[in-house]
Amino acid sequence: MPVLKKNIWLVFYALVLTGSILLAYISYVRWYDIKESLQKQQQYQVELVKNSVSSVLENQSILLRVIGSQITKDVFLNHPDAIRSLFDEQLRLNPELAGIGVSRPDGTPFIVSKNLRQLPRLNLSTAKETSESFKRALVSQDVVIGRTYYHPNLKEWIIPIRKSLRTQEGELYGLVAVGVYLEGTSFWSSATHINPHHQLSVVRDSDLYFQFYSSGWNNSQQSYNKPLTQNSFDTFVQRSTEKYQISEFELRNGSTQISLEYNVRGDSVFSDIRFNPDLGLWFVSEMKNSAVWDVFYHTFWIYCLIFGSTLVIIFFLFKLIYQADKKRHQALVYQAHHDKLTALPNRNYILYKEAERFEKPDNPFSIIFIDMDRFKNINDSYGHKFGDKVLIEITRRLKVSCNSNDLIARLSGDEFLILTSETNPTELTSKAKKIIQTLCEPYDINKQHFILGASAGIAQYPAHGDNLEAVLSSADLAMFDAKTLKSSVSFFDPIMMNDHIDRLKIEQELHRGLSESEFYMVYQPKIDGDGKVYGVEALVRWKNQQLGFVPPDRFISVAESCGLIPALGEFIIKTTLTDIASLQKEIDFEFNVAINISVQQFFHANFVDLLEQEIAGRNIPYDKITLEITESLFIEDIDALLLILQRIRSLGMEISLDDFGTGFSSLGMLRRLPIDELKIDKSFVDNILTEEPARQMVQSIIAISQNYQMSVIAEGVEEIEQAQLLKDFGCYHFQGYHFARPLPLDELREFIIHNRAQASPVAD
Ligand code: C2E
Ligand code: CA
Ligand code: CA
């Protein structure tokens, strides 16, 4: 069936061909049927003519013999009146007779029937048409049928039959003759034409003159006066004897019915021939092939009409099927190339319909790759139907902010693509920013008010890739870069590619790192205002066979994006708790341990359960454990975040907000969330001595912590002056190289022991 669908017109052509062959075959059979039937008619006709002509001529011959026997020599010489009355009586009785006459042996007419008496008489031995048969009759004992001739006086065509009159001793004393009408007798009426292409003839064997000619094709006057050529007769005899495998003698005994085909003046003719040996006459029926064609054309025309109209019906049927199929196919192609929800073109559309664009490097164009931030939250919180509505609204906004020449496509879930002919980087960036701005405007759907972020990456053809996949992955990298900043736009830079490749290498090696225990923990002491260690921050380290030492801020994000964070996080938690528990026991000193928790790890289903389970067995008080989180958590589902934070809090653990000041947490959010500590980011500490804004930032973070009853710690303290200033501003907790670097467990033990023995206040 699929093959049939594919080649529907092939099937149609095959049908036409088969139909035509069938039509040709039927026509061929029909043509021969017609010919056969005409041949049969012709045979019948020949038979009929032969019988009727023979019977007329034989009857008249008998009559002549009877008359001849009545005209004895005595009667001939002495009783002319008796002959006259005999003739008149016979003429009256026999309407087929044109006349009766008796002549002397020299040919001079003696007595004729009544109808001829007033007319001028012919000398039969000298007249051209009669002389030959007259002379033959003089020497013959039997009746002689003469050539058909035109009797000028009677104005009729006559067949003469003659018989010599002799005494018993054989003495010739006269010749009696009857003339038989050619027309108007049963002779004539039996010789009707089957069709205009048919003709009948009776040919005399003796001299090859026509005895009768139905004048189908020719002028009869000429026909009766001119014999057939001996040549054509010989050809006929030869063909017949060859065809029927008989001798000429057998041919002439009249038992074989002969059918032949030959050409007559360019026309092909089929004939049927009989011979009457008694009369010495050939009865010939000939018909041109045109007769077959005449009947055939009539039938053929009807066949063609039926065939043609059937074809037309089938054609329209096929056309209907074809069109329905085409429509179905187009619908399928449309479905395959368009997104069902938004009706926007999809990736396939660009791949197949826009493929040409990627073959013309002279026609550069750009791709703006857009990804909605936090869209997953929408689906999770409000359900997919609601999410669909949001996507439709996003589509509407995209359409509004693009111009008509731009192609907007939906690549997947919340990823959109704009293909534009704009190539100027400044214009492009501002166009992308405008789009992002539109997408970031508040949404109001089903009475729900919310804000969504969107990030855009821009890449160009052919500068950033020579095919769709390459340009798309460049745009994707740029988008990934934009994502780190949230709701921003990034233009592709080849560095991103290197970065991407590095990330790929890291991703590959991470698996091995985990299975081959390449990770280990170090601990950076946290110092209070008195210079005493009050806690440590656990920091993970990775020394890979291939890549060497990989810093955590490189591999943590890769582990996050490739789903390895739960395993790595579990390792960090277990190792840290084991190390710290054993150290605390060993040196009999309880101190705080801060563990960094990444976003993915935080939201992992059984994160808190795992934590609880690991802490329980190790005898570390919950209040000596701090979890360091970052502001990036806040862009996720706040309600879910709150639940987890509250659970952590209820267990007694503390929460520290790392890298504070670099993200975008609002004061309102800080008040809602159970946070114990703010960690001033290293970037501010770095500049605290030299830059006023950094100083102001540090001061306001400290002020916030005081307002919200949170503690505050500064990280990245490398110089005593920084610590001094921080202390002046009101921050009494420090972490940094000035005090200690992140240390392996052994060194940490030494550091703490040493610190406990001789710690002195930080600055004054
Ligand atoms: P972070 O949480 O802000 O960690 C502090 C980073 O500052 C650490 O880098 C630490 O070695 C470095 N540091 C501390 N004092 C100084 C200083 O005086 N000068 C300088 N130049 N650097 C200082 P590290 O260990 O390379 O970690 C980088 C980041 O990687 C961390 O930033 C944290 O975000 C992430 N990270 C490290 N370990 C873990 C971990 O175990 N789990 C998770 N989720 N993230 C981790
Ligand atoms: Ca940290
Ligand atoms: Ca930090």
Side-chain angles (χ1 to χ4, degrees):
M1 205 58 186
V3 181
L4 198 136
K5 264 187 183 172
K6 244 188 194 171
N7 303 307
I8 188 152
W9 288 119
L10 226 73
V11 175
F12 178 73
Y13 295 138
L15 264 179
V16 173
L17 188 74
T18 319
S20 306
I21 292 170
L22 205 73
L23 178 70
Y25 176 72
I26 292 173
S27 306
Y28 173 83
V29 171
R30 181 74 192 122
W31 194 90
Y32 275 94
D33 272 358
I34 294 168
K35 188 167 177 179
E36 206 179 334
S37 133
L38 286 173
Q39 272 172 335
K40 275 198 181 134
Q41 283 183 50
Q42 190 168 242
Q43 278 169 21
Y44 172 75
Q45 189 84 355
V46 172
E47 192 65 34
L48 192 71
V49 170
K50 183 191 155 211
N51 289 342
S52 77
V53 169
S54 301
S55 112
V56 167
L57 294 180
E58 273 160 14
N59 283 344
Q60 298 308 333
S61 300
I62 291 166
L63 177 73
L64 195 64
R65 282 192 200 99
V66 172
I67 293 172
S69 68
Q70 288 179 8
I71 309 172
T72 57
K73 193 175 178 185
D74 174 49
V75 173
F76 184 78
L77 295 176
N78 307 317
H79 306 285
D81 289 343
I83 299 175
R84 248 179 232 119
S85 57
L86 174 71
F87 283 2
D88 293 348
E89 177 64 9
Q90 284 305 324
L91 196 70
R92 194 179 58 80
L93 291 173
N94 219 328
E96 288 179 343
L97 287 185
I100 317 173
V102 61
S103 59
R104 295 194 178 84
D106 62 357
T108 48
F110 176 46
I111 297 166
V112 293
S113 55
K114 200 163 81 184
N115 61 331
L116 302 174
R117 276 174 214 150
Q118 308 304 320
L119 302 173
R121 309 234 174 121
L122 292 173
N123 184 320
L124 299 175
S125 69
T126 52
K128 188 168 59 133
E129 296 87 352
T130 56
S131 69
E132 188 273 337
S133 59
F134 184 84
K135 283 170 190 157
R136 219 150 32 90
L138 283 183
V139 294
S140 171
Q141 298 291 331
D142 203 0
V143 293
V144 170
I145 299 171
R147 268 173 59 193
T148 303
Y149 71 97
Y150 188 72
H151 198 294
N153 302 333
L154 283 173
K155 294 192 174 57
E156 289 283 357
W157 286 93
I158 306 289
I159 300 173
I161 308 174
R162 302 193 169 82
K163 183 172 179 352
S164 56
L165 296 174
R166 294 170 195 275
T167 59
Q168 274 184 347
E169 293 76 34
E171 183 202 345
L172 179 75
Y173 55 87
L175 197 132
V176 65
V178 294
V180 181
Y181 284 126
L182 186 65
E183 293 180 35
T185 57
S186 59
F187 187 134
W188 185 261
S189 58
S190 66
T192 49
H193 289 152
I194 297 169
N195 55 50
H197 306 279
H198 176 228
Q199 77 162 14
L200 286 157
S201 53
V202 181
V203 178
R204 297 160 57 77
D205 188 48
S206 56
D207 52 14
L208 300 182
Y209 275 94
F210 285 109
Q211 193 76 65
F212 168 69
Y213 192 77
S214 69
S215 74
W217 308 332
N218 249 317
N219 179 301
S220 56
Q221 289 273 355
Q222 283 175 13
S223 309
Y224 286 106
N225 292 334
K226 206 171 136 218
L228 292 177
T229 60
Q230 189 60 45
N231 200 9
S232 61
F233 184 73
D234 291 346
T235 315
F236 153 71
V237 171
Q238 189 198 343
R239 282 206 190 142
S240 308
T241 49
E242 272 172 15
K243 182 173 174 186
Y244 293 98
Q245 301 281 304
I246 47 172
S247 66
E248 199 175 329
F249 176 76
E250 284 169 311
L251 184 70
R252 281 176 203 276
N253 73 14
S255 58
T256 315
Q257 178 191 328
I258 295 151
S259 297
L260 288 179
E261 293 203 23
Y262 43 83
N263 274 313
V264 175
R265 286 183 289 279
D267 287 322
S268 68
V269 166
F270 55 97
S271 64
D272 198 81
I273 301 158
R274 305 282 174 92
F275 187 62
N276 183 332
D278 297 335
L279 297 172
L281 294 175
W282 294 97
F283 293 85
V284 182
S285 173
E286 290 174 305
M287 201 180 281
K288 285 196 210 169
N289 258 339
S290 330
V292 186
W293 287 112
D294 264 10
V295 184
F296 174 75
Y297 282 143
H298 185 72
T299 323
F300 185 66
W301 186 84
I302 293 169
Y303 285 173
C304 285
L305 198 79
I306 294 168
F307 179 64
S309 39
T310 313
L311 268 193
V312 168
I313 292 168
I314 292 176
F315 172 77
F316 281 109
L317 216 78
F318 270 66
K319 203 171 165 187
L320 270 179
I321 296 171
Y322 175 73
Q323 278 170 344
D325 202 52
K326 203 169 147 189
K327 262 193 191 163
R328 219 178 10 248
H329 179 74
Q330 279 169 346
L332 278 178
V333 169
Y334 184 87
Q335 268 173 31
H337 288 171
H338 287 81
D339 168 45
K340 215 169 164 187
L341 177 68
T342 60
L344 287 178
N346 59 17
R347 185 184 285 263
N348 283 342
Y349 181 94
I350 299 169
L351 213 60
Y352 299 110
K353 297 274 175 175
E354 297 291 323
E356 268 183 26
R357 283 186 185 249
F358 294 91
E359 285 160 13
K360 295 177 188 158
D362 302 341
N363 280 343
F365 60 91
S366 311
I367 274 178
I368 304 174
F369 190 92
I370 295 166
D371 186 275
M372 302 304 296
D373 302 331
R374 283 169 279 151
F375 187 78
K376 192 176 164 289
N377 292 348
I378 297 285
N379 275 337
D380 292 350
S381 321
Y382 303 108
H384 282 271
K385 273 197 177 157
F386 187 86
D388 285 353
K389 284 190 178 169
V390 179
L391 284 168
I392 290 168
E393 171 61 13
I394 290 170
T395 306
R396 191 193 65 77
R397 293 187 186 191
L398 283 174
K399 283 179 180 166
V400 176
S401 41
C402 290
N403 57 43
S404 56
N405 295 329
D406 298 340
L407 177 89
I408 308 170
R410 183 179 172 207
L411 293 189
S412 66
D414 60 346
E415 288 179 345
F416 294 85
L417 176 146
I418 291 150
L419 206 148
T420 170
S421 50
E422 180 62 67
T423 48
N424 180 299
T426 322
E427 292 293 324
L428 262 175
T429 311
S430 80
K431 184 185 178 97
K433 277 187 177 155
K434 203 186 107 197
I435 294 169
I436 296 298
Q437 214 172 6
T438 317
L439 293 177
C440 290
E441 275 166 20
Y443 289 75
D444 188 356
I445 289 167
N446 285 6
K447 294 185 183 147
Q448 298 286 341
H449 302 275
F450 57 94
I451 296 174
L452 269 178
S455 310
I458 305 169
Q460 294 187 306
Y461 171 85
H464 303 147
D466 59 1
N467 59 56
L468 174 70
E469 288 307 321
V471 184
L472 261 189
S473 74
S474 298
D476 194 24
L477 288 177
M479 208 275 301
F480 190 78
D481 185 66
K483 270 260 152 150
T484 57
L485 303 166
K486 300 289 165 191
S487 296
S488 76
V489 171
S490 268
F491 207 94
F492 175 75
D493 186 317
I495 291 172
M496 292 173 184
M497 184 56 88
N498 297 340
D499 193 58
H500 177 66
I501 292 167
D502 286 350
R503 288 176 66 89
L504 280 182
K505 281 187 201 154
I506 290 172
E507 190 180 324
Q508 279 166 12
E509 291 298 319
L510 268 177
H511 294 270
R512 190 197 328 208
L514 272 172
S515 60
E516 295 186 9
S517 313
E518 290 180 350
F519 293 94
Y520 59 95
M521 299 306 297
V522 291
Y523 306 94
Q524 186 173 33
K526 291 178 176 179
I527 308 293
D528 64 14
D530 297 329
K532 288 216 166 108
V533 177
Y534 73 94
V536 293
E537 178 181 1
L539 295 161
V540 68
R541 293 289 175 264
W542 180 27
K543 192 144 185 271
N544 176 254
Q545 277 181 28
Q546 291 283 322
L547 306 169
F549 183 80
V550 187
D553 38 14
R554 292 285 297 139
F555 69 78
I556 292 289
S557 64
V558 181
E560 283 216 294
S561 58
C562 71
L564 279 177
I565 246 336
L568 184 62
E570 195 176 332
F571 165 83
I572 291 167
I573 290 169
K574 281 185 175 171
T575 314
T576 302
L577 293 178
T578 309
D579 284 354
I580 298 305
S582 74
L583 183 60
Q584 288 188 353
K585 200 177 168 198
E586 188 187 336
I587 60 173
D588 191 24
F589 172 51
E590 277 187 356
F591 55 89
N592 180 284
V593 59
I595 304 173
N596 293 285
I597 308 295
S598 72
V599 180
Q600 300 280 310
Q601 190 183 1
F602 190 86
F603 285 106
H604 193 257
N606 37 21
F607 162 65
V608 187
D609 293 339
L610 172 88
L611 203 59
E612 226 183 325
Q613 194 183 311
E614 294 300 325
I615 295 167
R618 290 187 175 86
N619 209 15
I620 300 176
Y622 279 106
D623 63 3
K624 290 291 174 202
I625 294 169
T626 300
L627 300 184
E628 290 193 16
I629 58 169
T630 59
E631 289 160 300
S632 51
L633 280 178
F634 302 167
I635 59 167
E636 303 297 328
D637 186 351
I638 292 290
D639 294 330
L641 171 73
L642 196 61
L643 275 176
I644 303 172
L645 287 178
Q646 277 165 349
R647 195 168 156 214
I648 293 169
R649 198 30 133 40
S650 68
L651 287 169
M653 286 182 274
E654 294 197 341
I655 296 150
S656 175
L657 197 50
D658 207 353
D659 305 339
F660 189 71
T662 57
F664 52 95
S665 47
S666 67
L667 291 179
M669 196 125 56
L670 277 188
R671 189 179 311 134
R672 266 183 83 191
L673 301 174
I675 290 165
D676 303 285
E677 181 186 69
L678 297 182
K679 209 165 180 183
I680 303 169
D681 190 62
K682 180 178 168 296
S683 58
F684 305 119
V685 178
D686 282 348
N687 301 320
I688 194 172
L689 296 176
T690 49
E691 286 173 18
E692 185 53 28
R695 238 189 323 261
Q696 279 176 9
M697 188 71 190
V698 170
Q699 280 178 304
S700 52
I701 294 172
I702 295 169
I704 292 168
S705 73
Q706 287 164 352
N707 279 342
Y708 290 92
Q709 282 91 46
M710 297 171 184
S711 57
V712 63
I713 177 172
E715 69 176 357
V717 181
E718 294 182 347
E719 293 165 40
I720 184 68
E721 288 80 7
Q722 292 168 332
Q724 178 68 61
L725 199 56
L726 284 161
K727 212 174 164 189
D728 291 347
F729 290 156
C731 170
Y732 302 103
H733 294 119
F734 314 98
Q735 187 184 340
Y737 290 178
H738 171 69
F739 303 100
R741 289 184 171 250
L743 305 167
L745 193 63
D746 293 351
E747 290 178 32
L748 177 68
R749 187 197 302 112
E750 297 314 310
F751 183 86
I752 293 175
I753 292 169
H754 187 256
N755 174 273
R756 284 180 74 189
Q758 34 178 279
S760 61
V762 177
D764 28 20

